[in-house]
Amino acid sequence: MIEGSISNRIRVLRFHSGEMSQAELGQRIGFTRQTIAAIEAGKYSPSLEAAFRIAHVFNVPLDEVFQWDVKVPH
Amino acid sequence: MPYREKTAWLSLLAMIVTFGPYFTTIAIRALPSEPMPNLHQLGLFAVTAIVQMLILGVGHLYLRRRSTQEARMPLDERDQAIMRRSFSSAYYVLIAGMIAVGCVMPFKSSGWSIINAALFMIIAAEVVHYGVVVFSYRRQA
């Protein structure tokens, strides 16, 4: 199985959207502030639908928000 | 701390504070030798249940007033995932307990011992349920 980890640029995108707060982003996609904080910190991976919603809020493609970093086996 | 985690802490603490002393009392005292064991048992259970309801009622009111907006929000997908995980963990505890109480205990015990054992397993399952909720929120905090 291919190993990897998901990273995201939500913090940067929030900054570029007029320092949007986690609570505001959460409100717009129906999540709590704590869930946004968990996603941002990489402690929770959202569903595909939620990921699309986040990308839609920032008006960017999905891969500008989430990246999958493949672990190369030695 | 999320509102759901606070309510889970509240439920966990309410159960430990009320049913902890209840089961300790039952374990220490030899109830069948008393003149009216049923009345004593029912009284003890009623007091425990009422105290638990009071703690939960007051606690929920307090938490709801402190975070009105969050309390009104429906569960998001992370909350739902945590709930699913906690319910499935608690289910295994409950089913194992019910098998022990319903299939094994009738051969060795009777009466209040069986009722209290069943009650203990229900409380144990609830503790696991809220424990998993708290643990999951803490891990992702």
Side-chain angles (χ1 to χ4, degrees):
Chain A
M1 194 177 76
I2 305 165
E3 298 282 335
S5 61
I6 296 170
S7 61
N8 68 78
R9 295 180 61 245
I10 295 175
R11 178 70 194 94
V12 176
L13 291 164
R14 282 199 300 112
F15 176 77
H16 290 306
S17 302
E19 199 62 75
M20 182 192 288
S21 68
Q22 290 178 334
E24 192 186 338
L25 175 59
Q27 208 170 19
R28 291 179 71 173
I29 63 164
F31 279 14
T32 60
R33 187 197 64 75
Q34 289 84 3
T35 298
I36 297 296
I39 294 170
E40 213 172 277
K43 290 177 178 173
Y44 172 71
S45 297
S47 66
L48 192 56
E49 190 183 332
F52 273 113
R53 279 190 191 152
I54 294 169
H56 181 77
V57 168
F58 296 122
N59 205 21
V60 293
L62 188 61
D63 62 356
E64 268 195 45
V65 186
F66 294 96
Q67 296 79 41
W68 196 54
D69 310 313
V70 181
K71 255 186 216 167
V72 181
H74 296 288
Chain B
M1 191 188 283
Y3 173 75
R4 315 278 171 202
E5 187 187 341
K6 286 178 194 166
T7 57
W9 272 115
L10 173 68
S11 304
L12 202 57
L13 291 174
M15 257 183 302
I16 291 166
V17 166
T18 53
F19 281 96
Y22 174 82
F23 288 117
T24 309
T25 308
I26 283 166
I28 293 169
R29 298 177 75 167
L31 293 167
S33 62
E34 290 180 6
M36 293 173 80
N38 283 347
L39 193 67
H40 183 95
Q41 272 284 351
L42 285 172
L44 189 62
F45 180 72
V47 169
T48 306
I50 289 167
V51 171
Q52 190 195 20
M53 276 193 286
L54 280 174
I55 294 172
L56 288 175
V58 172
H60 275 284
L61 274 176
Y62 174 74
L63 291 176
R64 197 169 267 269
R65 281 195 177 190
R66 281 196 59 176
S67 43
T68 320
Q69 203 180 351
E70 209 185 331
R72 281 187 191 151
M73 275 187 80
L75 297 177
D76 65 25
E77 63 173 42
R78 184 176 72 123
D79 298 325
Q80 286 172 1
I82 288 172
M83 284 298 152
R84 272 196 303 274
R85 195 180 313 138
S86 65
F87 275 122
S88 83
S89 307
Y91 171 78
Y92 290 112
V93 175
L94 186 64
I95 206 76
M98 286 305 118
I99 288 169
V101 171
C103 302
V104 180
M105 280 193 78
F107 295 103
K108 293 179 178 177
S109 318
S110 62
W112 279 103
S113 302
I114 293 179
I115 294 169
N116 282 324
L119 192 61
F120 179 79
M121 292 318 298
I122 292 169
I123 298 297
E126 283 289 284
V127 167
V128 168
H129 163 62
Y130 290 115
V132 170
V133 170
V134 165
F135 175 75
S136 301
Y137 278 116
R138 285 291 87 210
R139 200 179 58 174
Q140 293 176 359

